[in-house]
Amino acid sequence: MNVRGGRGAETVTYIDGVNVTDPFNFAMRVYLPNDAIEEMSVQTGGFSAEYGEAMSGIIAITTRVGSDKYHFSAEAITDEFLSPENKALGAYSYGFNEYVASVSGPIIPKSKHSFYFNISRQYIADWTPSWGWAENSWKLDDYSYDQLVYTNEYDSTAEAYIMDTVMHDYKFNARLPENFSSRWSYSGKIKLQLSKNLELKSTYIHTNREYSQDILGAAFAIQPIRFFNTDHRPVTLNHTTSFNVTLTHMLSSKTFYDLKFNIFDTERKCWDPVFKDDLYKYGDPTYNPWPDVEQYYGEAYTGRMGPDFFQPGCQYDSYIRQASAHWGIDFDITHQQGRYHNFKAGFEYKYHTVRYYRMYNPTKMAYPHWNSEIEKYRGADVKFYGYDVEGNVVDSGDYLEDVVRDSTHTPTDGFRRQAPYHPIVMNGYIQDKIEFEDIVLNLGLRWDYIDPNAWMFRDIAAEFNPDGSLVEGTGMFGGDDLFDESDITDHESYYFLSPRLGVSFPVTDRTVFHAQYGKFYQPPRLQDLYLSPFYMDRYVASGGYFTNLTNPNLRPPKTTSYEIGFKQMFGNLASIQLTAFYKETEDLIQLNTVTTDVASIAFQDNGDFGTIKGMDVIFTMRRFKNLSVNLNYELQFAEGTGSASAGNYDIAWIWGTRGNYPKFAQPLDFERRHSGSLNFDYRYTEEAPIKLLRFTGANVMFTFNSGNPYTRNTITNQFPFDGRYDNDRISTTPLSAVNSEVTPWNFRIDMKLDKRIHIAKSTITLYAWVINVLNSRNIQNVWSTTGLPNDTGFLGTAAGQAYWQSLQETGQSLYKMREVDYNYYGQPRQIRLGVQVEL
């Protein structure tokens, strides 16, 4: 979610005043169904001093609490009444199912203590439905593939293992194959009225989710390269818990305070679903298509079928495990001073525990002839902290202190464990809302303190004499091919003061002017900040294929924001609000190649900057004669030197230290020059002109955007697909300036029809929800060589035409199934039916 031209990680979510965004990568993993939400607001402008750890947007959610009456609700929604094979009503079934149940009321009848509990179950057979897959006319309905696989029988004459044939039958429909998402979510809230002036609230949320997603690849869910190898498509698992307790004490009619304690814990894994945590099976030919003989132990099976799909049995040769947890204490006090001043101040302390484990090549664990244990783990390319070298949770160990080396400096002991990191985050704020008769001032000051509580490099870049020789004593490793304690120092702590200013005043009795200014800091993503000493030592000692490393020396990025606007009322019926905004972002994370005293290494570093300017228009019409209308429009110019922390990957890889990094701002990848929505809500009450229409309603949402920037590249004679992680051979030689081309406009209409039926003391709501009513072909991205989502341009070359003519009809379909990338399209038409019962 990109808010006002900011990167996706610049927006955080608060639930009941607690930040529930994972600090490791700023992902949001807890799930709340609509029934559990009392109120939700999205702040895209200059938010007040009490909010931090975000630079672009705040999503603030208040969960539902029970009342003095018992209430039960159950809801079910599905599209399974349709078929995934045959269209009905112009739509297919994508296997969407969600069931929600809640119960609330007083803990003890007629008491002031209340509770709310909610359980949600969601299963989706295809959780990222794509118009480009469902409507792809080249897609085969069924396909049979005879795979040649090795047996354990050896032909001494041919000096090869005898092959056998295994037949695979595939059937395809509108659903992306094995692209599932399965989620359970539980939430609850208890309110205890301890006395007239003392209240205790507690919120608990837990979400388990398992779904098809490759953390490493470019595909959002299942990758096209794995369509015929779905048994081994990567699966991601998340387990997230958020718990908080808030004590509210009314000291007087003008003063109260909140004392809050919170715990947040999330764990994530991404693995091959066949082998899961058993790292030695990944490369064991007993479980793979290789012959079960010694020479194939530790070998990844990478067989391909045309044009570029993994054969059945290809392992997902990667394993990731990551966990983040923190506990925190938050104190906020509010005081009304006289008629004009409303003071609020607060302080927060959070203690984090961060763990990460990544094995790039688990197949190598099964290789039987490693000369040493350290050679095996380096061969499997593992990095870790908070775990041991095989992925087991540990709380102790320090590689830099514990490692024992032989005469060649190779570790022989003390390398197997690395304790987790424990960053400390503190903040405090004070703000005053001053409300005079003709002007309102919001004055705030925020203090943020970030202590990584770890080590950092003494130095990174080396200095060189005019003759090219190293200036002694400079560089990361002290002039030797060794990473040890002499190369590090204690990490610096950072603190910042962020002023937040806002003003509003009436120009007329129906026009209000407003303006805001603020500075916003955000800690770096912990995945960019912390580094595995084991991996760093291995990389310096042995080098290897290009990789990018995280950087303990990162500083927090910052944003300076300005906005000005007015709100005009039209009677008591409607209003329009216009806001112009301007933002400057600095010290954003980018990938840079640094010349050290040993090697050139690509590090995450501070360096990207950007400017974002634009205007928001919000028109609101209250319900009048059954109709309410809301219009949101944004004009945006978002420019910068990089759109993501790894945006310079190709430059760092190809150009190394030649210094060809962006120094001028260009349109960012996620800029949408024009975007907006128009919502109509029309509903009848019991006074409907026709009895059948009583308590019926229709909601129509029209959304649009003007597309995303991209850089046009040349077309070559090279076959476009080939890559372990769904990489391709698409040319990266530009034909135009960076991001000077734009994908087509997107338009979509969604509609929801509902009917409430009252039976005794119960209410039944029936509804139909149609997504993309017109089944519009919305193009989200394109092949950079053609500007099209379904054509790389290869078939227009001489080599491509010759290749196409060599294919049979089935082969041509397979090629187009690979070329028409479903990631480049929006959602197709979907129809869901739901029912909700309330007692």
Side-chain angles (χ1 to χ4, degrees):
M1 179 173 162
N2 303 103
V3 175
R4 283 191 175 177
R7 294 182 179 180
E10 295 178 11
T11 299
V12 301
T13 301
Y14 284 81
I15 297 180
D16 290 339
V18 176
N19 185 350
V20 294
T21 308
D22 183 1
F24 187 78
N25 58 2
F26 296 143
M28 169 66 173
R29 297 203 182 95
V30 297
Y31 174 75
L32 285 174
N34 290 334
D35 187 80
I37 298 174
E38 182 72 32
E39 183 181 1
M40 183 172 71
S41 64
V42 180
Q43 301 181 38
T44 60
F47 31 94
S48 63
E50 66 180 300
Y51 291 111
E53 301 180 71
M55 297 196 300
S56 289
I58 295 289
I59 301 173
I61 296 173
T62 302
T63 59
R64 183 162 293 177
V65 66
S67 65
D68 59 353
K69 296 181 180 180
Y70 291 104
H71 180 266
F72 172 79
S73 174
E75 182 178 11
I77 180 170
T78 183
D79 72 353
E80 295 276 17
F81 61 93
L82 298 171
S83 166
E85 286 84 19
N86 302 303
K87 264 188 180 181
L89 304 175
Y92 295 102
S93 166
Y94 298 93
F96 183 94
N97 298 277
E98 183 168 11
Y99 310 97
V100 181
S102 67
V103 59
S104 63
I107 296 176
I108 303 172
K110 298 183 180 180
S111 73
K112 294 183 179 180
H113 310 312
S114 64
F115 74 95
Y116 172 88
F117 177 75
N118 176 284
I119 182 171
S120 169
R121 165 63 172 153
Q122 184 187 81
Y123 182 83
I124 310 174
D126 180 4
W127 74 280
T128 58
S130 165
W131 192 100
W133 175 261
E135 304 290 345
N136 185 353
S137 59
W138 289 96
K139 181 174 76 258
L140 295 169
D141 293 327
D142 52 68
Y143 176 64
S144 295
Y145 173 62
D146 294 336
Q147 181 185 11
L148 291 175
V149 297
Y150 291 95
T151 69
N152 294 327
E153 298 181 26
Y154 186 77
D155 186 339
S156 57
T157 303
E159 297 184 344
Y161 285 91
I162 297 173
M163 307 290 284
D164 194 7
T165 301
V166 177
M167 178 177 288
H168 301 274
D169 292 319
Y170 299 91
K171 293 187 179 297
F172 296 103
N173 52 45
R175 301 173 183 175
L176 286 160
E178 295 299 325
N179 190 41
F180 79 102
S181 172
S182 176
R183 175 166 54 203
W184 285 93
S185 184
Y186 315 88
S187 64
K189 192 170 187 177
I190 293 176
K191 184 182 77 170
L192 303 177
Q193 195 68 45
L194 303 179
S195 69
K196 180 181 179 180
N197 298 322
L198 204 59
E199 179 183 86
L200 187 70
K201 289 182 179 178
S202 178
T203 303
Y204 173 83
I205 306 169
H206 180 78
T207 301
N208 291 330
R209 188 183 180 203
E210 180 178 356
Y211 58 107
S212 295
Q213 184 187 39
D214 184 2
I215 294 176
L216 305 178
F220 186 58
I222 189 170
Q223 298 170 301
I225 200 171
R226 301 185 187 277
F227 282 165
F228 297 92
N229 185 37
T230 54
D231 287 347
H232 292 272
R233 88 283 185 202
V235 169
T236 297
L237 299 90
N238 296 328
H239 305 286
T240 305
T241 300
S242 174
F243 172 75
N244 71 78
V245 178
T246 303
L247 178 70
T248 301
H249 187 191
M250 295 289 299
L251 299 175
S252 69
S253 61
K254 295 183 178 181
T255 307
F256 71 91
Y257 68 83
D258 291 326
L259 179 61
K260 185 175 296 169
F261 174 77
N262 64 85
I263 296 173
F264 178 83
D265 186 15
T266 183
E267 182 179 11
R268 175 182 59 154
K269 290 183 180 181
C270 183
W271 59 22
D272 185 309
V274 174
F275 307 125
K276 300 182 180 180
D277 286 315
D278 196 337
L279 300 177
Y280 286 89
K281 282 186 178 178
Y282 281 70
D284 186 339
T286 306
Y287 308 99
N288 294 301
W290 292 120
D292 187 10
V293 292
E294 187 175 84
Q295 73 183 78
Y296 290 105
Y297 276 77
E299 289 295 317
Y301 185 78
T302 57
R304 298 296 178 92
M305 49 184 289
D308 184 46
F309 297 101
F310 279 132
Q311 288 182 352
C314 290
Q315 312 97 318
Y316 177 65
D317 196 10
S318 183
Y319 175 87
I320 295 177
R321 185 176 184 184
Q322 174 257 318
S324 304
H326 72 253
W327 63 266
I329 298 176
D330 188 332
F331 177 80
D332 300 278
I333 186 168
T334 303
H335 174 70
Q336 180 69 41
Q337 179 64 43
R339 294 177 53 192
Y340 303 119
H341 295 272
N342 184 271
F343 290 101
K344 189 171 184 180
F347 175 81
E348 182 181 30
Y349 174 93
K350 289 196 293 188
Y351 182 84
H352 294 263
T353 299
V354 184
R355 306 175 189 274
Y356 182 66
Y357 183 89
R358 166 79 181 277
M359 184 173 283
Y360 288 85
N361 303 117
T363 53
K364 299 300 182 184
M365 293 290 284
Y367 181 67
H369 299 301
W370 295 114
N371 294 321
S372 64
E373 193 178 18
I374 188 68
E375 186 180 3
K376 176 178 69 173
Y377 295 123
R378 285 180 168 178
D381 210 0
V382 62
K383 61 172 68 171
F384 58 94
Y385 47 84
Y387 300 97
D388 67 15
V389 74
E390 292 200 357
N392 302 301
V393 174
V394 297
D395 291 310
S396 63
D398 188 329
Y399 180 87
L400 294 172
E401 291 184 359
D402 302 340
V403 67
V404 178
R405 304 176 187 270
D406 62 17
S407 58
T408 65
H409 302 300
T410 300
T412 59
D413 199 7
F415 59 81
R416 298 174 183 85
R417 301 161 64 89
Q418 180 68 40
Y421 291 109
H422 297 288
I424 296 171
V425 175
M426 291 188 287
N427 63 74
Y429 70 92
I430 184 169
Q431 59 189 40
D432 182 13
K433 185 176 183 180
I434 308 171
E435 295 184 270
F436 297 116
E437 292 183 2
D438 56 355
I439 190 171
V440 177
L441 299 174
N442 282 283
L443 310 178
L445 182 65
R446 182 179 177 88
W447 170 78
D448 284 284
Y449 173 88
I450 303 165
D451 179 8
N453 198 18
W455 55 269
M456 64 186 296
F457 294 113
R458 290 185 183 275
D459 198 4
I460 293 184
E463 298 179 18
F464 295 89
N465 295 309
D467 62 0
S469 61
L470 175 71
V471 176
E472 188 174 348
T474 67
M476 185 180 296
F477 307 106
D480 57 26
D481 294 348
L482 190 66
F483 177 56
D484 56 26
E485 287 187 287
S486 65
D487 302 321
I488 65 170
T489 186
D490 289 339
H491 208 297
E492 296 178 2
S493 298
Y494 303 99
Y495 65 89
F496 306 95
L497 292 175
S498 309
R500 312 279 174 88
L501 307 175
V503 60
S504 64
F505 57 84
V507 179
T508 69
D509 62 339
R510 298 190 179 278
T511 306
V512 178
F513 169 88
H514 64 88
Q516 287 186 330
Y517 161 81
K519 285 187 176 292
F520 308 91
Y521 291 89
Q522 186 177 40
R525 297 183 305 177
L526 300 183
Q527 70 177 20
D528 296 328
L529 183 64
Y530 290 122
L531 185 59
S532 165
F534 176 95
Y535 187 77
M536 188 71 214
D537 192 24
R538 173 261 170 198
Y539 188 78
V540 173
S542 58
Y545 189 72
F546 173 83
T547 189
N548 57 296
L549 299 178
T550 49
N551 185 357
N553 294 41
L554 290 177
R555 303 182 305 277
K558 70 175 180 178
T559 292
T560 305
S561 174
Y562 310 83
E563 67 174 63
I564 187 171
F566 70 90
K567 184 175 183 179
Q568 176 70 50
M569 298 292 297
F570 301 102
N572 295 320
L573 182 64
S575 67
I576 187 170
Q577 180 173 308
L578 276 73
T579 303
F581 60 87
Y582 176 83
K583 299 198 309 182
E584 294 179 347
T585 58
E586 304 173 52
D587 280 343
L588 298 178
I589 311 304
Q590 65 174 186
L591 191 63
N592 268 331
T593 300
V594 178
T595 301
T596 72
D597 49 327
V598 172
S600 294
I601 303 176
F603 275 105
Q604 304 284 356
D605 198 6
N606 296 99
D608 274 339
F609 63 88
T611 58
I612 301 98
K613 52 186 177 289
M615 180 179 68
D616 288 334
V617 180
I618 302 174
F619 173 80
T620 302
M621 188 187 83
R622 296 178 178 177
R623 195 169 301 282
F624 177 70
K625 293 185 178 181
N626 309 107
L627 176 67
S628 67
V629 180
N630 288 279
L631 168 68
N632 289 271
Y633 167 75
E634 182 169 284
L635 172 67
Q636 179 190 112
F637 299 85
E639 297 184 334
T641 54
S643 302
S645 59
N648 287 339
Y649 186 90
D650 285 344
I651 299 174
W653 181 17
I654 298 172
W655 295 104
T657 57
R658 299 186 194 178
N660 295 313
Y661 292 94
K663 297 179 175 62
F664 300 97
Q666 62 267 332
L668 298 174
D669 294 348
F670 43 79
E671 181 202 75
R672 290 183 172 177
R673 187 65 52 85
H674 306 278
S675 63
S677 64
L678 178 61
N679 180 260
F680 297 94
D681 190 87
Y682 192 93
R683 56 192 60 253
Y684 287 106
T685 63
E686 59 185 5
E687 299 176 356
I690 303 174
K691 186 176 181 180
L692 184 64
L693 294 178
R694 290 180 183 177
F695 303 109
T696 62
N699 186 283
V700 178
M701 175 71 79
F702 171 65
T703 56
F704 63 91
N705 68 74
S706 57
N708 307 315
Y710 72 97
T711 305
R712 190 68 173 268
N713 293 322
T714 58
I715 299 174
T716 69
N717 283 324
Q718 185 170 251
F719 188 78
F721 310 115
D722 182 34
R724 176 183 174 193
Y725 294 126
D726 211 20
N727 299 326
D728 53 61
R729 291 178 175 175
I730 298 297
S731 167
T732 55
T733 304
L735 278 176
S736 63
V738 174
N739 280 350
S740 60
E741 306 285 334
V742 182
T743 62
W745 280 70
N746 280 210
F747 302 94
R748 194 176 105 181
I749 297 175
D750 298 341
M751 181 173 63
K752 190 174 184 179
L753 306 174
D754 61 83
K755 168 71 174 179
R756 277 190 296 140
I757 303 170
H758 298 278
I759 302 176
K761 294 184 179 181
S762 64
T763 301
I764 300 174
T765 303
L766 306 174
Y767 59 89
W769 181 13
V770 186
I771 300 170
N772 194 3
V773 174
L774 302 180
N775 200 29
S776 301
R777 187 188 74 154
N778 287 316
I779 297 172
Q780 310 287 344
N781 207 343
V782 295
W783 292 109
S784 62
T785 47
T786 61
L788 299 172
N790 56 359
D791 184 5
T792 63
F794 172 68
L795 295 182
T797 67
Q801 292 175 4
Y803 170 76
W804 184 257
Q805 295 300 321
S806 70
L807 299 175
Q808 301 294 324
E809 183 178 347
T810 299
Q812 293 177 346
S813 292
L814 289 171
Y815 178 85
K816 295 302 289 186
M817 286 172 65
R818 186 70 174 80
E819 186 176 50
V820 181
D821 195 324
Y822 80 88
N823 291 288
Y824 293 169
Y825 293 86
Q827 297 185 53
R829 180 187 292 123
Q830 298 161 73
I831 303 175
R832 300 170 184 172
L833 297 180
V835 58
Q836 183 181 43
V837 179
E838 298 178 86
L839 301 175

